[in-house]
Amino acid sequence: MQPGQLLVILTLSTSVPLILPTPSHTTCAPYTGRFAPSPSGPLHDGSLVAAMASFLDARAHHGRWLLRIEDIDTPRVARDADRIILSQLRQLGMRWDGDIIWQSQRLSRYADIYQQLDRQGLIYGCACTRHEIASNAEQAGLAGEDGERPYVGTCRAGIAGGRSPRAWRVRMPDEAYSFTDRWVGERTQNVAQAVGDMIVKRADGLFAYQLVVVVDDHDQQVTDIVRGQDLLSSTARQHQLARMLGFTPPRMMHIPLVLDGEGRKLSKQNHAQAIDVHNPVKSLQRAWAALGFDVLPVNTVNDFWDAAVAAWRQRFNIG
Ligand SMILES: [Zn+2]
């Protein structure tokens, strides 16, 4: 039970006026976390670290841990990868709560949200090629962040020269947005300047990852997102999009990435090996070490999770 709820019950049962604290959404909504793998291949060491951190944080908060299969980018989906990921999680003792959602089954929901933004006058078509976007940003003297060239809004007032749209963008507010990340601290970004108006629907008709993630987290009532630092730069734009839709942005924690011997992010594109589920404790200990913790003196999967949850609580001062 949350402190706020307890006080409400006391007020009702005793009729003594109590001063209620001002709860933020993160303290009054029950903790709901999630793991959202894209089924482009089996889990590898890098994705296991992200799964582990979100699982531990949910369990440490006595919260729910949901699973979402991010198969919106259909050309990248590998056949059977979702089934393999679920089996890997089970073998590692990571049990999820509630029903799994597949993004590919939610297209009508995304279309409704897209229509909502369109009715708000926030969507416009853009005919710019990748090359044009880069050269326009360069001419405007905008370097962008993380090598990402911002879109300068070339087609905001309409597409010139009767060309067809290659994508549909949403108008982002020109303002600095700040959030506090539980791992890396405070971050501020003006999305309109650093990124520009975001693509929400692609030329091939697929809704953009940045849009559907925001809708999914809202619909699943996610209060806390724990994920890798490769997604840190996406957070301000996702939160701004959430606010435009009237959603409350979740609390964030971005954990360090697991790098290979050459300093590259471990990923399916970099041919990372699938995790060894035949030796689950060893695989779990390796992911645990990647999060900066010492090896736990345990021999079974259940003992691993008990000890890891306790250590996580202590490390992050979770009641
Ligand atoms: Zn354009």
Side-chain angles (χ1 to χ4, degrees):
M1 178 176 290
Q2 302 292 321
Q5 291 173 290
L6 183 64
L7 282 172
V8 171
I9 292 162
L10 286 172
T11 310
L12 293 174
S13 60
T14 62
S15 305
V16 176
L18 287 170
I19 298 164
L20 291 171
T22 315
S24 72
H25 77 282
T26 48
T27 55
C28 68
Y31 183 110
T32 303
R34 49 76 157 177
F35 176 54
S38 51
S40 52
L43 294 181
H44 52 75
D45 281 344
S47 44
L48 174 57
V49 172
M52 173 178 281
S54 68
F55 180 72
L56 285 173
D57 203 48
R59 291 293 176 254
H61 283 90
H62 305 287
R64 282 157 42 84
W65 188 63
L66 308 180
L67 199 55
R68 175 165 86 228
I69 304 296
E70 297 205 325
D71 57 352
I72 189 71
D73 193 358
T74 36
R76 288 183 56 227
V77 170
R79 203 168 155 215
D80 270 355
D82 53 354
R83 192 182 53 76
I84 295 166
I85 290 170
L86 299 185
S87 154
Q88 289 175 306
L89 291 173
R90 273 191 214 99
Q91 286 172 280
L92 293 165
M94 302 171 78
R95 290 176 209 295
W96 55 89
D97 300 301
D99 294 331
I100 302 169
I101 71 169
W102 274 262
Q103 290 178 329
S104 57
Q105 296 172 2
R106 287 171 45 76
L107 301 182
S108 65
R109 171 65 174 152
Y110 306 142
D112 287 347
I113 291 288
Y114 178 86
Q115 293 301 330
Q116 182 187 328
L117 289 168
D118 199 19
R119 280 195 304 272
Q120 289 173 256
L122 295 170
I123 304 268
Y124 65 90
C126 166
C128 300
T129 62
R130 197 181 286 256
H131 176 74
E132 286 169 329
I133 291 166
S135 68
N136 288 339
E138 201 174 343
Q139 275 173 25
L142 296 170
E145 293 170 15
D146 303 325
E148 184 176 32
R149 288 285 190 188
Y151 179 67
V152 298
T154 313
C155 306
R156 258 190 168 217
I159 296 172
R163 296 158 75 191
S164 305
R166 300 169 63 93
W168 286 265
R169 296 181 181 270
V170 62
R171 296 171 201 273
M172 300 305 293
D174 187 4
E175 62 184 20
Y177 175 77
S178 298
F179 63 96
T180 302
D181 184 274
R182 290 170 57 212
W183 194 291
V184 301
E186 186 161 324
R187 281 287 189 276
T188 300
Q189 188 183 53
N190 182 321
V191 178
Q193 287 173 22
V195 183
D197 295 334
M198 284 161 49
I199 291 178
V200 283
K201 193 164 136 184
R202 307 188 331 195
D204 55 12
L206 290 177
F207 295 106
Y209 163 79
Q210 302 286 7
L211 174 70
V212 304
V213 164
V214 167
V215 178
D216 292 340
D217 285 329
H218 172 73
D219 289 356
Q220 292 193 289
Q221 298 178 293
V222 169
T223 61
D224 286 77
I225 295 177
V226 179
R227 61 186 184 185
Q229 283 176 15
D230 52 330
L231 291 165
L232 183 59
S233 63
S234 291
T235 301
R237 72 193 75 172
Q238 290 172 1
H239 282 195
Q240 288 287 48
L241 200 47
R243 293 167 80 220
M244 290 160 81
L245 289 163
F247 304 160
T248 305
R251 193 163 68 142
M252 310 303 291
M253 181 189 254
H254 286 92
I255 57 163
L257 295 180
V258 180
L259 304 177
D260 66 12
E262 290 162 42
R264 296 176 307 183
K265 180 200 166 194
L266 269 195
S267 68
K268 287 149 199 162
Q269 290 79 14
N270 290 337
H271 312 295
Q273 296 284 312
I275 45 176
D276 178 8
V277 286
H278 301 294
N279 203 338
V281 175
K282 194 174 160 200
S283 297
L284 291 170
Q285 294 276 21
R286 205 165 50 227
W288 180 242
L291 285 164
F293 290 89
D294 294 331
V295 171
L296 294 166
V298 296
N299 297 311
T300 68
V301 168
N302 281 347
D303 287 351
F304 172 85
W305 288 117
D306 286 347
V309 168
W312 190 269
R313 264 190 201 123
Q314 197 171 25
R315 165 77 174 76
F316 296 105
N317 289 318
I318 299 163

